[in-house]
Amino acid sequence: MKFRFQRKFLCIPYWLFLVLFVVVPIFFIVFYAFTDGSGHFTWDAVVEFFTTNNKLNVLVQSLLFSTLNTILCLAIGYPISYLLANKKYNTKYVLVLLFVMPMWINFVLRTGATRDVLSWLGINGGTHPYVATMIGLVYNYLPFVILPLYTTMLKLDQSQIEAASDLGCNRIQVFTKSIIPQSIPGIVSAAQMVFMPTMSSYVIPETLSEGKIVLFGNSIYLGFANNQWNSSSFMAIIMLIIIGISMLATRNFSEKDSGKGGTAW
Amino acid sequence: MENNYIIDLKNVSKIFDDETIAVDDFNLYVRKGEFVTFLGPSGCGKSTTLRMIAGFEFPSKGSILLNGKDISNVPPNKRPINMVFQRYALFPHLDVYENIAFGLRLKRIPVLKTDKQGNKVLEIDKKKIKELKSEYKLIQRNKHLDEAEKSEKLNGLQSQIDYLKANPVESYNYVKLSEKEIDNKVARALKIVDLEALEDRDISTLSGGQQQRVAIARAIVNEPEILLLDEPLGALDLKMRKEMQIELKEMHKKLGITFIYVTHDQEEALTMSDTIVIMKDGVIQQIGTPKKIYDEPKNAFVADFIGESNIYNGTIVGDKKVRFLDHNFDCEDEFQLNEKVDVVVRPEDVIISEKGGMIEGVIDNKIFKGVNYQYVIMIGKNELLLKSTKDYEVGTKVGLNIEPDGIHIMKKDFLVNIYTDAWIDKNNHVMIDDSPFDCDVTQLLAGSTLDEEGYLVSADKAHKYDLKDADVVAEIAKDKIEIIDDIESEEAQIVGSIVDSIYIGDHYRYIVRTENEEDFVLDSQYSYNLDDKVGLKVNKEDIKLRLKKEVSVYEI
Ligand SMILES: Nc1ncnc2c1ncn2[C@@H]1O[C@H](COP(=O)(O)OP(=O)(O)O)[C@@H](O)[C@H]1O
Ligand SMILES: [Mg+2]
């Protein structure tokens, strides 16, 4: 039989990639999560995770840090993005770069610098581990909030804003009834950019709390480092499930957003 | 109140960024219940004017009065005016019902405060006192008032404040509309725009026409005193547009609200409006009823913009006599003898016959337009457009008659281009808009000549002048500018794009605008499209120059 090129062959590289780098790793994680060192099936990891306080505490603490970090980043990033996107206050793109630039500096270096600045200010990781970690997290993730919010703000429909004020909104009401609803897609993608990465962040809490605070990502790493493949793999699965849930929960919003055209990424 | 003008714009101008004059000295009053339309080509300042009435822009100069009160700087939410936006601007996160209820939910209505027995509760009017107090402080700080005037005003205010403090008055609670009231109003609005069945639908599921109706309902549900509509039908297809025109007109009659409507579609303006305001480049060209504007256009621009028309160059040759198309016609307007004028003749005012007439022509083209025929008739090398129910063959020789009341005469609006900031460069070229034009500088001094080095030598050879950098005023008649199609060619002395064109009988009148925003008005036989890039050529002898200073300044 003669070989005939079909268009569907074009997706072969994609499938290969998917299998190699997504399906196979997940398979291994699942495999390790439910087998012991000699390759026999076991529930050990599940039982251990849900019965020992230690690991659950880490999960709860991570969720709290992530939530607080997301809220703080949004609270700080939202007004900044609004001002940056408003031609009345900002006519230069340079200012935007200034806020987003830290994203491109080496992450470990930046965190080390943050630690030094904080301890110089008296917020030492040894004495104030929670405050120092929180500041570090907010500082690190702020650009990830500003960029998507900024792109959404650029796309704000001015005539909707005018319509709101035409129909009787004062300045505050224009904000709550038109600007915020319009920027929901940006808020959602900004939250996604912060929430999950915070849970799995490792360098920031490690460096800034001088090892006193362990987040979920940290704990997975430590597990693997100590050859606890079984329990660490199960924690990685928990992580995957949380990511899945958060993606499902925000799916509606991101779909709407993608319909409106590309972002600046 | 001395008059019944609901809105009154007085000398309103709007200048953007210190340079773009979007609206220039706009004067207009609108009566209660009127349907007024702003009509003009795109970019002429219609939307800007509307937006100043809505409160989205504030006038740079002049004032806007609503029922006699100055509202020039009142924000949009405090004006009893609502707007239907060009692209609807509906709220996509709300459904149809909530979009329409949006304004109602924000509304607070004053309700008299009463106690349990239903007696009025009297309270000190703290709000008013606060207002008076801040006014008091303003006057106190005002340095421009003289002392006597100041203390008189302050005393007046103080006694008002004291009076208010001592005398409690009826007071009001400001309450939201109840759900039931909102429900009723939304239902009524939905009924008016014929959308009763769609109240629960998402905005994104509606067609353009339906969204349009929601936008109208959202505005009228607030019972505004004035409804502003910015090209509301622009995005609809032709059939839908015609339907909506009729519906809007009916709505206007039924609601009794004043409508201010913006469009660039002359037919829309003619069919819907009580009054049309024709604008061009931010300036009002004419205000009048559709009939008046159609029958008596004030200038060639209005005539050209409103309906089809024949426009010719004419000359006044006697008392109520005008010459155009090589014939002396009787007319009704009086002008100065020998004045050059624009003559406008509407296609339906030309009477066609086979028996001969004032002028004769040959039918060049014929189109059947449903109820009548539209003919293009060549009279010499001039074209004439006419409409008639009679059927003639192409090529027929026909006679044409025009009654005096069918001839509209207008002052010519433009004869020569004048450039007041031109100058002479070192090669004795005149620089207009930074481009060199070959010219005859010897006209600056009678009898002078140029020597080999390029200096101007007076007739008696006694004086020599260096004209380098001399400031001059240059004039070029509009029929002396030639269009060069190839903008790369040597002949094109300057390049610009066509920003305006009017057909005048046997030729077009164009405005060519250069990159530096210098305009060249010119006449040409040939047809070009708006925005075409063209080169311009002017012959050396057709540039008239005048020195700004005495010639002696340049003597060497
Ligand atoms: N916000 C603005 N800033 C600068 N120029 C503007 C602004 N709004 C309108 N203009 C200018 O004012 C002129 C009139 O615009 P507009 O009122 O929108 O015209 P129209 O509605 O008749 O098409 C145009 O030249 C336009 O470019
Ligand atoms: Mg407009």
Side-chain angles (χ1 to χ4, degrees):
Chain A
M1 208 173 78
K2 242 179 87 186
F3 174 80
R4 274 184 49 223
F5 182 80
Q6 284 175 304
R7 199 176 290 182
K8 66 180 175 201
F9 295 154
L10 284 175
C11 63
I12 289 177
Y14 173 73
W15 279 106
L16 270 178
F17 179 88
L18 203 67
V19 169
L20 270 179
F21 296 105
V22 181
V23 177
V24 172
I26 288 182
F27 170 79
F28 275 113
I29 289 177
V30 175
F31 176 78
Y32 282 123
F34 295 102
T35 48
D36 59 23
S38 51
H40 296 291
F41 179 83
T42 170
W43 287 107
D44 280 358
V46 188
V47 176
E48 189 207 338
F49 185 84
F50 287 107
T51 50
T52 54
N53 272 341
N54 183 6
K55 299 225 159 113
L56 273 180
N57 278 345
V58 171
L59 179 63
V60 171
Q61 173 163 295
S62 305
L63 283 172
L64 284 178
F65 262 102
S66 290
T67 312
L68 192 58
N69 188 28
T70 310
I71 291 171
L72 284 176
C73 281
L74 283 175
I76 300 170
Y78 195 91
I80 293 178
S81 319
Y82 181 73
L83 293 180
L84 284 179
N86 197 325
K87 288 207 186 63
K88 230 190 317 184
Y89 306 110
N90 175 30
T91 49
K92 295 181 191 67
Y93 186 65
V94 178
L95 262 180
V96 180
L97 285 184
L98 218 62
F99 274 96
V100 177
M101 198 109 77
M103 250 164 68
W104 299 315
I105 299 174
N106 182 294
F107 180 68
V108 181
L109 264 181
R110 190 171 29 151
T111 308
T114 314
R115 179 191 54 199
D116 293 347
V117 170
L118 285 180
S119 66
W120 180 74
L121 286 171
I123 308 170
N124 190 298
T127 46
H128 305 282
Y130 287 93
V131 180
T133 306
M134 208 59 239
I135 292 177
L137 284 172
V138 170
Y139 168 66
N140 262 287
Y141 285 101
L142 199 52
F144 294 91
V145 165
I146 289 179
L147 208 49
L149 281 176
Y150 172 75
T151 29
T152 323
M153 299 280 187
L154 282 182
K155 288 187 295 183
L156 285 184
D157 180 357
Q158 286 305 320
S159 60
Q160 273 183 49
I161 294 174
E162 283 178 351
S165 97
D166 186 58
L167 292 167
C169 286
N170 59 31
R171 281 156 154 256
I172 297 165
Q173 287 166 323
V174 166
F175 201 76
T176 56
K177 287 182 193 291
S178 179
I179 296 177
I180 292 193
Q182 278 193 67
S183 49
I184 291 277
I187 295 176
V188 169
S189 53
Q192 278 175 342
M193 301 289 294
V194 176
F195 189 81
M196 288 319 295
T198 308
M199 286 214 50
S200 58
S201 66
Y202 158 64
V203 176
I204 300 171
E206 174 69 24
T207 314
L208 290 175
S209 72
E210 295 181 1
K212 290 207 174 76
I213 291 174
V214 177
L215 294 188
F216 211 58
N218 232 343
S219 143
I220 294 174
Y221 166 78
L222 288 174
F224 280 119
N226 293 326
N227 269 329
Q228 301 167 347
W229 291 69
N230 181 231
S231 65
S232 290
S233 293
F234 183 71
M235 283 169 74
I237 289 178
I238 296 279
M239 189 90 180
L240 272 177
I241 291 172
I242 297 175
I243 291 176
I245 291 173
S246 74
M247 298 280 266
L248 280 179
T250 53
R251 192 179 48 175
N252 287 341
F253 298 104
S254 13
E255 263 171 16
K256 266 186 201 158
D257 191 33
S258 65
K260 278 188 194 161
T263 54
W265 296 92
Chain B
M1 214 167 37
E2 68 248 80
N3 54 44
N4 60 345
Y5 303 152
I6 185 158
I7 198 137
D8 194 354
L9 288 94
K10 291 192 162 154
N11 308 97
V12 171
S13 296
K14 179 70 191 179
I15 301 163
F16 287 110
D17 313 322
D18 289 332
E19 47 179 329
T20 319
I21 304 175
V23 178
D24 194 0
D25 199 23
F26 199 97
N27 282 287
L28 174 76
Y29 55 80
V30 177
R31 290 198 183 81
K32 214 173 165 61
E34 216 175 330
F35 194 127
V36 178
T37 301
F38 296 168
L39 176 64
S42 126
C44 71
K46 309 178 296 286
S47 295
T48 306
T49 313
L50 204 69
R51 291 166 55 77
M52 286 193 282
I53 298 174
F56 303 133
E57 308 278 1
F58 298 129
S60 312
K61 286 192 207 113
S63 51
I64 300 173
L65 309 184
L66 178 80
N67 294 321
K69 246 174 51 198
D70 191 341
I71 56 156
S72 311
N73 292 307
V74 174
N77 56 322
K78 299 261 172 64
R79 300 186 186 198
I81 297 174
N82 285 113
M83 176 132 154
V84 177
F85 289 80
Q86 202 160 2
R87 305 224 129 261
Y88 319 142
L90 298 174
F91 304 118
H93 59 285
L94 302 175
D95 64 9
V96 170
Y97 181 97
E98 284 304 323
N99 261 280
I100 298 175
F102 193 90
L104 298 174
R105 295 206 186 284
L106 293 162
K107 210 178 207 131
R108 300 287 178 271
I109 35 176
V111 173
L112 207 55
K113 262 190 205 167
T114 50
D115 59 19
K116 286 194 190 88
Q117 285 80 43
N119 298 320
K120 287 177 197 161
V121 174
L122 297 186
E123 274 179 8
I124 290 165
D125 193 346
K126 286 189 187 134
K127 214 169 123 201
K128 181 90 197 193
I129 291 177
K130 214 168 149 193
E131 277 170 27
L132 290 173
K133 274 189 177 160
S134 68
E135 196 178 333
Y136 187 95
K137 276 188 196 136
L138 272 181
I139 292 178
Q140 235 175 1
R141 270 187 250 130
N142 191 336
K143 294 197 177 74
H144 302 294
L145 291 172
D146 68 61
E147 283 305 317
E149 209 178 339
K150 207 176 201 171
S151 67
E152 185 186 338
K153 278 197 174 166
L154 290 181
N155 286 337
L157 278 176
Q158 189 57 53
S159 63
Q160 272 187 55
I161 293 171
D162 292 340
Y163 179 85
L164 284 174
K165 274 185 180 164
N167 295 283
V169 289
E170 293 164 2
S171 58
Y172 296 91
N173 284 322
Y174 289 85
V175 296
K176 288 186 185 180
L177 291 173
S178 69
E179 280 302 318
K180 182 130 186 55
E181 284 168 305
I182 291 177
D183 229 30
N184 286 337
K185 283 178 193 265
V186 171
R188 218 178 312 145
L190 279 167
K191 189 152 186 267
I192 291 173
V193 297
D194 220 3
L195 277 187
E196 287 116 311
L198 299 183
E199 61 174 32
D200 296 327
R201 288 271 287 274
D202 243 18
I203 294 300
S204 55
T205 66
L206 300 182
S207 72
Q210 291 167 332
Q211 293 193 16
Q212 174 65 78
R213 287 162 193 270
V214 176
I216 294 170
R218 185 179 69 173
I220 59 176
V221 78
N222 303 298
E223 296 159 29
E225 290 188 43
I226 303 175
L227 186 68
L228 307 175
L229 304 104
D230 190 355
E231 311 211 16
L233 310 184
L236 302 182
D237 61 47
L238 188 67
K239 187 163 165 288
M240 189 81 113
R241 205 152 65 213
K242 296 273 179 226
E243 279 174 28
M244 279 307 288
Q245 283 175 13
I246 297 168
E247 282 191 43
L248 273 174
K249 189 71 198 157
E250 275 169 7
M251 244 179 252
H252 172 248
K253 272 194 212 130
K254 208 155 46 181
L255 296 171
I257 299 175
T258 309
F259 275 41
I260 302 182
Y261 192 94
V262 161
T263 180
H264 63 261
D265 179 342
Q266 48 105 0
E267 207 181 313
E268 200 164 285
L270 288 174
T271 52
M272 298 174 79
S273 335
D274 298 325
T275 304
I276 298 180
V277 179
I278 298 203
M279 299 176 65
K280 182 196 181 201
D281 296 338
V283 180
I284 296 182
Q285 303 291 311
Q286 188 169 2
I287 304 177
T289 60
K291 184 164 165 41
K292 175 125 183 159
I293 285 188
Y294 189 85
D295 291 343
E296 296 167 40
K298 249 192 185 156
N299 56 38
F301 172 80
V302 175
D304 188 60
F305 202 77
I306 290 278
E308 287 161 311
S309 43
N310 300 290
I311 306 178
Y312 302 103
N313 287 314
T315 312
I316 302 294
V317 290
D319 187 22
K320 297 195 182 176
K321 274 196 187 310
V322 60
R323 182 175 182 81
F324 62 97
L325 295 174
D326 290 333
H327 181 84
N328 295 349
F329 290 88
D330 288 323
C331 62
E332 294 186 326
D333 309 85
E334 280 182 65
F335 277 85
Q336 234 173 344
L337 192 64
N338 287 328
E339 185 165 350
K340 300 274 180 214
V341 290
D342 282 325
V343 180
V344 171
V345 181
R346 295 290 182 192
E348 57 273 23
D349 287 340
V350 185
I351 303 149
I352 185 167
S353 79
E354 272 170 305
K355 291 192 219 68
M358 300 169 177
I359 46 176
E360 292 200 332
V362 179
I363 296 181
D364 190 50
N365 190 332
K366 159 175 148 184
I367 303 169
F368 184 58
K369 284 262 174 150
V371 285
N372 54 19
Y373 292 94
Q374 180 179 307
Y375 296 100
V376 176
I377 296 173
M378 294 308 293
I379 303 152
K381 60 181 177 46
N382 284 301
E383 277 179 16
L384 183 141
L385 191 71
L386 85 77
K387 284 182 181 155
S388 167
T389 49
K390 291 187 213 152
D391 188 3
Y392 296 99
E393 290 304 310
V394 169
T396 318
K397 232 185 167 161
V398 289
L400 305 167
N401 291 299
I402 310 170
E403 294 294 317
D405 66 358
I407 295 173
H408 309 292
I409 299 182
M410 287 148 238
K411 258 192 152 37
K412 247 206 191 325
D413 42 17
F414 202 89
L415 283 170
V416 282
N417 294 283
I418 301 176
Y419 304 100
T420 53
D421 46 11
W423 48 280
I424 307 288
D425 76 357
K426 62 179 192 297
N427 302 321
N428 283 327
H429 291 143
V430 60
M431 300 292 288
I432 300 172
D433 183 30
D434 289 338
S435 295
F437 288 80
D438 208 348
C439 67
D440 176 18
V441 291
T442 58
Q443 63 179 295
L444 293 169
L445 186 64
S448 62
T449 48
L450 283 176
D451 69 9
E452 302 91 343
E453 291 151 60
Y455 295 124
L456 195 69
V457 182
S458 66
D460 55 9
K461 310 277 184 235
H463 304 280
K464 231 165 130 179
Y465 304 94
D466 181 3
L467 292 173
K468 185 171 170 279
D469 293 336
D471 289 325
V472 295
V473 175
E475 285 186 18
I476 309 172
K478 66 177 161 49
D479 50 356
K480 299 292 196 231
I481 305 178
E482 209 182 310
I483 295 190
I484 307 292
D485 292 351
D486 178 11
I487 57 172
E488 304 291 332
S489 100
E490 289 265 326
E491 281 194 299
Q493 291 164 301
I494 191 162
V495 174
S497 48
I498 295 185
V499 294
D500 194 24
S501 89
I502 299 181
Y503 186 64
I504 308 185
D506 58 347
H507 67 272
Y508 294 89
R509 181 174 306 160
Y510 296 113
I511 299 179
V512 176
R513 186 165 294 167
T514 67
E515 223 161 55
N516 300 329
E517 303 257 11
E518 194 72 79
D519 282 351
F520 291 80
V521 180
L522 59 99
D523 289 348
S524 167
Q525 304 287 338
Y526 304 106
S527 131
Y528 294 92
N529 293 324
L530 282 183
D531 294 325
D532 277 355
K533 270 220 169 332
V534 293
L536 299 180
K537 179 188 165 204
V538 187
N539 284 330
K540 187 173 171 172
E541 55 281 3
D542 292 325
I543 302 182
K544 302 254 172 305
L545 298 175
R546 183 158 41 88
L547 278 172
K548 281 194 187 168
K549 296 186 192 132
E550 287 297 308
V551 71
S552 55
V553 177
Y554 305 104
E555 183 159 359
I556 47 170

